[in-house]
Amino acid sequence: GAGVSQSPSNKVTEKGKDVELRCDPISGHTALYWYRQRLGQGLEFLIYFQGNSAPDKSGLPSDRFSAERTGESVSTLTIQRTQQEDSAVYLCASSPGARGPQYFGPGTRLTVT
Amino acid sequence: SQQGEEDPQALSIQEGENATMNCSYKTSINNLQWYRQNSGRGLVHLILIRSNEREKHSGRLRVTLDTSKKSSSLLITASRAADTASYFCATDANDYKLSFGAGTTVTVRA
């Protein structure tokens, strides 16, 4: 079946602009995660959605970052007033439940100029 | 914060050789997972080992877990050019969040 998809695959934006990143999880997966990966580093947890529960936003680095998820489907990660330090690959993952393997999308490479 | 730390940071081997990388972590875990990442994009799940397991195999992959030392190792046997990638360990410390290390970059030379 279809895997996790993300769009756009690449985004170049000017400092100060807002960006919206989209994630389509695997159908039926109740858990959805967003991570950030800076060049040459591991993944930083950003936010977690599980079904209709309140999301865990504890990893969001500032109030410029927000995310939404519609039911158990699409999620969007929004970064307002982008800064150069926001440049990274943003990865989305989904899983059938709250534990176990996560299935990753190809990521969105964000470059803030 | 990153709980897992991989060692070495980089590894270069000849095709056909074995590659071993290690992961150390700090807190107690429910399970530990290994992922592969090609070209800095999406990660692929390789193997999950639970805290009550000591060893697990999947094809050419062998993972060990020593909870007393808070460490794990990933062995890739008979390496191929297609194994060139970054490998990450990720720990599930009794919640749903995975903590990833910085990864080991493996280069397999033809």
Side-chain angles (χ1 to χ4, degrees):
Chain A
V4 177
S5 61
Q6 291 185 246
S7 60
S9 56
N10 288 285
K11 176 74 177 177
V12 180
T13 191
E14 292 180 352
K15 179 180 170 181
K17 301 273 188 178
D18 298 352
V19 295
E20 192 172 275
L21 313 180
R22 177 186 167 110
C23 172
D24 282 273
I26 293 172
S27 177
H29 281 193
T30 59
L32 187 146
Y33 309 78
W34 282 98
Y35 295 91
R36 178 172 70 180
Q37 185 179 29
R38 292 200 165 108
L39 188 64
Q41 297 186 20
L43 277 66
E44 280 178 81
F45 167 80
L46 296 178
I47 189 168
Y48 162 74
F49 296 90
Q50 171 60 34
N52 294 319
S53 303
D56 178 345
K57 305 179 181 181
S58 61
L60 295 179
S62 77
D63 59 8
R64 295 186 295 104
F65 288 71
S66 63
E68 292 183 351
R69 186 181 186 193
T70 309
E72 293 185 354
S73 60
V74 171
S75 175
T76 55
L77 175 69
T78 302
I79 309 172
Q80 296 179 309
R81 305 182 302 283
T82 52
Q83 305 294 312
Q84 287 187 329
E85 65 260 27
D86 299 334
S87 295
V89 175
Y90 289 83
L91 291 157
C92 174
S94 69
S95 64
R99 315 300 291 271
Q102 295 181 14
Y103 298 83
F104 282 81
T108 293
R109 186 179 300 279
L110 176 65
T111 304
V112 182
T113 61
Chain B
S1 63
Q2 295 179 345
Q3 163 159 242
E5 290 186 8
E6 289 92 344
D7 170 62
Q9 288 186 330
L11 184 58
S12 180
I13 55 173
Q14 201 73 32
E15 204 165 23
E17 292 180 339
N18 296 343
T20 301
M21 60 210 86
N22 303 295
C23 169
S24 59
Y25 57 92
K26 297 180 180 124
T27 66
S28 63
I29 60 171
N30 177 280
N31 65 69
L32 184 146
Q33 303 176 33
W34 285 91
Y35 288 81
R36 183 185 72 226
Q37 185 178 41
N38 293 86
S39 306
R41 301 307 287 258
L43 279 72
V44 174
H45 179 263
L46 296 176
I47 199 163
L48 180 153
I49 186 165
R50 302 190 190 285
S51 60
N52 61 354
E53 297 176 309
R54 292 297 165 257
E55 188 171 312
K56 208 157 181 183
H57 297 253
S58 176
R60 294 183 296 111
L61 305 179
R62 173 178 167 255
V63 168
T64 63
L65 179 65
D66 186 335
T67 53
S68 67
K69 295 180 180 177
K70 291 189 170 58
S71 68
S72 174
S73 68
L74 170 67
L75 167 68
I76 306 172
T77 60
S79 62
R80 304 168 181 169
D83 296 328
T84 294
S86 292
Y87 293 81
F88 294 87
C89 70
T91 52
D92 177 348
N94 298 312
D95 64 18
Y96 43 79
K97 299 177 193 176
L98 289 181
S99 293
F100 286 81
T104 293
T105 300
V106 174
T107 303
V108 181
R109 306 185 307 272

